Every structure is written in structure tokens, then in C-alpha cells.
Amino acid sequence: MRAAWRWRLLPPPPFVCQPGYRRSSSITAYTAVVDGNGCSTIYVTCEGSIGTYSFETARLDSHHRLGWTHSEEWKHVGRWSLPFKGGAQYVPEFNMWFGFSAFSPGHLCAVDLSAMHHDRPPTALQVWKNLLPPEVEWMCIPVRFELLNLGDGKFLIAGTFEAETTGQQFALLTGVEMMPCVGDDRSLQMVKHKCTRYAFTTDAIEWVL
């Protein structure tokens, strides 16, 4: 009989029962780390002084017919925060996690999460300069940033902005490529490629024939 994927309700993180937790508190950073056995651990940082928690999704179990079992275990990793905002994704070509810096909004960063195995805060190895055109950087309000990994060291940075004068929102799509620096095992050079601006409109499709 084949095992099937299914949704299941996870236990709530323990910090929801701690003093000082507000129901409106939101997760500010999250990522996942896969170990050598293929088991994933989810890490989340919640705003305030809650810190960072991990959730082990599964662990090896030689007595189980599948070879693994659900862990259902939350762990308080530390009172520190993950050094990025939103999600960060692992890029195997560089053995790093890439996301947007929590200290420099909209700036792409590379993070080494290996220190978390010893309950130490991770470090941002590199933070790259914002690639926004001057007219966007000085006259528009950033709304949201997303990162898409295209493979082979290539990424698409999708930023949503709002013009201060008109309130109109638009997207800025920027292609970048990461290249190893000569003579350095960890440092990377970011090369900017094409940048395209897409303006959102209020037009809506009401009928399709």
C-alpha cells in the first residue's frame, strides 16, 4: 500500500501560551532546513521578544514501516531573530540561504544557517546594495519583495511599490546573477541584468466569451 500525502493539523507553537504574546503578533521570518536524511525542520521568528522556534517535521524511525515518523515537536532555538525578513530559500549551488535582509529592507542577502545546529544565531554572510533606479528609490514606497530562484545562480527579484504622489502601485522585476569571486570560497558577486517595470491597472475582466 502506497503512502499518500494528506493535510494534518500541527500543534500550536508554545510561544502562544507565553506572557507577552499578542494574538496579533505575526511571523516576521521563516525558512526550512533539510538534513542529510531528507528530514525538514521549519524555523520561524515572531515579532517582539519571542525569538526563534523550530519545528521538526519528521525523524528517522527504523521500527516504522515507512522508516520515519512525524515528530510533532517545537523547540525554542534562541531569543535572537533570523537575519532576514519573510522567507529565505536554500540554494544548493552556493550552500547558502537567500532572502531579504531584516536590517536593510529590500536588500538581498545570503545567510549561513549551519550555526543553528548548535543553537547559535545565524549570520548574514553578504548583503548586497539595493538595485532600485533612483526615481523608484526616492519617490516610491516599497510594499513587498519576493525572490524567485531560476537555477544556475540566477534569480528574479520582484518588488511591489506605491508611488507617493498618485498612490498607484507597480511591480519592478529585476534579473540578477550570482557569481563566485575569484580566490574566495564564500564571497559572491551580484551581476544585474534586465529590469522591467509593470504598472497595475484598475481594469477588470467581467465577461469572457
Side-chain angles (χ1 to χ4, degrees):
M1 180 178 178
R2 296 179 58 186
W5 291 100
R6 67 183 187 277
W7 293 102
R8 61 190 177 94
L9 185 64
L10 301 181
F15 60 76
V16 300
C17 302
Q18 291 183 355
Y21 172 76
R22 304 190 311 274
R23 185 175 294 273
S24 59
S25 296
S26 60
I27 292 175
T28 59
Y30 58 91
T31 191
V33 177
V34 181
D35 62 20
N37 299 314
C39 297
S40 298
T41 300
I42 301 170
Y43 291 87
V44 297
T45 291
C46 194
E47 65 181 356
S49 59
I50 294 174
T52 298
Y53 278 77
S54 66
F55 182 82
E56 188 181 35
T57 59
R59 63 179 54 167
L60 295 181
D61 186 353
S62 58
H63 300 290
H64 196 277
R65 62 183 180 84
L66 296 176
W68 56 270
T69 56
H70 296 303
S71 175
E72 308 285 348
E73 180 181 358
W74 284 94
K75 178 183 177 183
H76 187 215
V77 184
R79 299 192 67 84
W80 40 264
S81 300
L82 293 168
F84 46 84
K85 183 178 181 180
Q89 51 187 298
Y90 177 67
V91 180
E93 296 97 307
F94 306 115
N95 193 26
M96 299 179 191
W97 282 257
F98 286 77
F100 294 99
S101 172
F103 311 103
S104 301
H107 291 229
L108 190 63
C109 68
V111 182
D112 180 13
L113 298 182
S114 60
M116 293 197 299
H117 294 302
H118 305 286
D119 295 340
R120 296 197 304 267
T123 56
L125 299 179
Q126 283 185 261
V127 179
W128 288 275
K129 184 179 179 180
N130 202 321
L131 298 177
L132 298 178
E135 65 273 14
V136 174
E137 184 174 7
W138 298 108
M139 301 178 62
C140 300
I141 303 172
V143 177
R144 184 175 181 178
F145 290 95
E146 295 289 345
L147 181 66
L148 177 62
N149 181 12
L150 303 177
D152 294 329
K154 299 180 177 65
F155 300 87
L156 176 67
I157 300 176
T160 305
F161 302 86
E162 181 177 303
E164 290 185 346
T165 55
T166 63
Q168 183 184 25
Q169 290 194 354
F170 63 92
L172 196 66
L173 308 178
T174 306
V176 298
E177 183 176 0
M178 296 296 176
M179 303 179 64
C181 294
V182 178
D184 194 321
D185 295 336
R186 302 302 301 272
S187 296
L188 299 173
Q189 176 186 4
M190 182 170 66
V191 179
K192 179 182 177 181
H193 292 297
K194 187 177 181 180
C195 181
T196 301
R197 177 170 173 167
Y198 176 80
F200 300 134
T201 65
T202 56
D203 297 335
I205 299 176
E206 297 183 0
W207 297 95
V208 177
L209 300 179

